[in-house]
Amino acid sequence: MPTLAGQVAIISGAAGDIGAAVARELSRRGADVALGDVLEAPQVDALGAEITALGRRWRYDRVDVTDAAAVAAWVQACERGLGTPTLIVPNAAVVTVRPLLELTPREWSRDLRINLDGAFHLAQAAAKRLVELGKPGRIVMVGSWAAERAHRRMTAYCASKGGLRMLTRCLALELAEHGILVNEVAPGYVNAGLSGKLMKDDPAAQARAAARVPIGRLMSADDVARQVAHLCEPGTDHLTGATLLMDGGLSLRGATDG
Ligand SMILES: NC(=O)c1ccc[n+]([C@@H]2O[C@H](COP(=O)([O-])OP(=O)(O)OC[C@H]3O[C@@H](n4cnc5c(N)ncnc54)[C@H](O)[C@@H]3O)[C@@H](O)[C@H]2O)c1
């Protein structure tokens, strides 16, 4: 029996590389999946076909996570279509790369609104429903090692992921009595998605990034997805408010490491 059979997952930013990998991994482990993203539906057709082939049900909703009412409506639609979401993965994010002194208020707000407000909207809407029904659940935030170390030209992103870390812990504290566990996976350099796009036309940048990682390699979206799924598994039912930092040792580097 697959370990997540009978569960319904809801994943924001699901048309992106890591969101799609999470959807595949949770489906493989038996969950039905509600996919949400700002992109047009055809962007997830191939992913949907893979999930169907795994014998799982899925739906796609176009939803902007910055809109709290739209996110609440998405959670309701997911419940009507697939069942109450019990595995919640706030994953949608953007990154603005701009020197601090040139960062506009609009760019600052965009990163904060999508990465932090968006995660709050989804986590809160889904948790409210679980509490109403007296059902347990798991929330797994997709954070970043950017919450560990200051990064040049990524101020808004780093601040959003730092905020996400504390949001994870506050949610974990208040939701524990309701049987809802809240944790965070914090990847380092992933050779896909946001940093994949930044490096995609530049093999030298990829090689430089890999060389900075103490274990000597970049991780894949599937590596991240496996850890998200791990935090949804029955075996991790004493873990809450935790950050699973999976950065290959990046954040261990000191100033003298170059
Ligand atoms: N790729 C990396 O190196 C890396 C490293 C650490 C953490 N992360 C985190 O992984 C998560 C997934 O990112 P990814 O790398 O797969 O990037 P991605 O760009 O492939 O996916 C992000 C998705 O979020 C969607 N999105 C953007 N704004 C949205 C909105 N307002 N509402 C709903 N959806 C929206 C995008 O359309 C996109 O499909 C993010 O939280 C990111 O911070 C990525």
Side-chain angles (χ1 to χ4, degrees), residues 12-19 36-39 63-66 90-94 114-115 142-145 157 161 186-197 224:
S12 66
D17 287 344
I18 291 174
D37 204 292
V38 278
L39 300 181
V63 60
D64 180 341
V65 293
T66 64
N91 163 76
V94 291
I114 296 172
N115 306 359
V142 182
S144 169
W145 84 292
Y157 183 78
K161 294 297 183 177
Y189 293 151
V190 184
N191 197 7
L194 295 177
S195 52
K197 280 172 213 153
V224 179

